[in-house]
Amino acid sequence: MAAGNAIEEVLAAYPYIGREDSLQALTHAAWRSEEKDLPLVS
C-alpha cells in the first residue's frame, strides 16, 4: 500500500492475508513510526 496500491489490490495479490490482518499491520506500523529509538548508554 505504501507503493500506492489499494487494499483490495493487496488482498487480491495475497489471498492468504485477511483484511483484518492487513489493517492491524497498518495500525502497528503507524504506532511504531511514532516511537523514538534511543541509544543505549553503557
Side-chain angles (χ1 to χ4, degrees):
M1 286 186 280
N5 297 328
I7 190 168
E8 291 79 18
E9 294 173 310
V10 174
L11 294 174
Y14 301 96
Y16 49 87
I17 298 175
R19 178 177 290 276
E20 184 63 28
D21 294 331
S22 61
L23 294 176
Q24 287 295 323
L26 288 173
T27 300
H28 177 75
W31 171 76
R32 182 65 177 101
S33 71
E34 294 175 357
E35 286 190 340
K36 294 182 181 175
D37 290 327
L38 300 175
L40 295 176
V41 179
S42 52

